[in-house]
Amino acid sequence: MSSKPPISPAPPARRATVTLSTLAAKKALGEPIAMVTAYDYPSARVAESAGVDVVLVGDSGAMTVLGYPSTVPVSIEEMLMLAAAARRGLSTPMLVGDLPFGSYEASDVLAVASAQRFVKEAGCDAVKLERGGSSSDRARAIIAAGIPVMGHVGLTPQTATALGGYRSQGRTAERALEVARDALDLQEAGCFSIVFEAVPSELTDALMPKLVIPVIGIGAGPATDGQVLVFHDLLGIYEGHAARFVKRYGRVREAMEEGVEAFVREVRERRYPEPRHGYTMAPDEATRLRELLGDA
Ligand code: KIV
C-alpha cells in the first residue's frame, strides 16, 4: 500500500479580470473575443460563468427587456439601472455601458457627464457610442476625461431611420467608404475597440488590416477579432424579429413558457402546493391557536 498522502484536486483556476490590455493581447495573439449583452443580475451571472470576455449593457435592452419598439426611447436612468444590476452579477468580464440616444450627441460636456454617470453610478468600466463623425469628437472628449470608449459603426440602431431602417450597411463601395471612415475616425479618436454591425464581410476584410484596435462583429463576417450577440437573441428569449446574423443557441422562451404553463395548470388543478412545499405547527400549538381564536 502506498504511504503517499492522497493528492487533493487542484482548485478551479480563477479567471483574471478582463482589462483593455487583455483585449489588446487577445487581438495580438489572434484569440477571438466573446462579448454578449446582459441587462440584469441573472444574465450577468450567466455571462460570468460562461467565461465571456466583455459584457455590454446594450441599449438593445430597450427592446428586449423594457418592451420599447426601438432603442431610441430608453432613458439614461433606465440604462443606469440595468447596468448597475449587471455590475452586481459580474467580477471578471469587462462591463461596457451603452450611451443611449440623446445622452451624448449634443456636446462634449453632455457626453462626458453621461459617461461619468455610467462609471460612477453603475460601475461600468467603459462606455459605447454609435457612429463616426461628431460621435468621434464625443469619444475623444470622453477618453480625455479618463473613460475608455468602444465605437460602433455600420448599422447603428439609434439612427436606423436615417439609415433607411434596420438593414445592412456599406453594400456599395461609396457607402462602405463612409463606414470605413467612421471606423478609422473612432480609432484615431482613441477608442479601445469598435463594433461592426451588419456590414458585408468584404468591407470587414478590407478594413481589418487598417485597425490596430480589437473589432467585435455582429453580422460582419468571420474576420473580426471577436463576435457579439444579444443575450435574448442567442438564447431564444426575444420573440421579435431576428436579424440574419442571429444564431439561436437555446430555446429558453419555450422552456420559460412551459414552466409557467405547468405552474398555472397545477394551481388550477390544486396539485400545487404539495405537503412538502409547506410549513407545519406542532399539534399542541395548533390546538392552542384554535383555542385563542375561540374555535375550540
Ligand atoms: O445594444 C446592443 O445590444 C448593441 C450590440 C448589438 C452591439 O449595440
Side-chain angles (χ1 to χ4, degrees), residues 77-115:
E77 280 72 24
E78 288 168 318
M79 287 299 298
L80 289 170
M81 197 196 70
L82 300 179
R87 169 81 285 164
R88 290 189 282 272
L90 295 176
S91 51
T92 44
M94 175 180 290
L95 180 63
V96 181
D98 221 354
L99 291 174
F101 182 67
S103 73
Y104 62 96
E105 300 88 335
S107 70
D108 288 353
V109 173
L110 177 66
V112 172
S114 298

Side-chain angles (χ1 to χ4, degrees), residues 180-229:
R181 286 205 179 110
D182 283 350
L184 293 169
D185 281 357
L186 288 163
Q187 169 168 268
E188 214 265 315
C191 287
F192 72 94
S193 172
I194 303 190
V195 170
F196 281 13
E197 178 164 353
V199 294
S201 44
E202 291 84 350
L203 168 56
T204 306
D205 294 346
L207 259 176
M208 285 308 288
K210 300 185 191 305
L211 290 162
V212 295
I213 56 176
V215 176
I216 313 293
I218 174 162
T224 53
D225 301 302
Q227 298 289 333
V228 55
L229 278 179

Side-chain angles (χ1 to χ4, degrees), residues 37 56 58-60 98 128 152 195 197 218 230:
T37 65
L56 170 69
D59 62 357
S60 53
D98 221 354
K128 179 169 85 57
H152 183 157
V195 170
E197 178 164 353
I218 174 162
V230 167

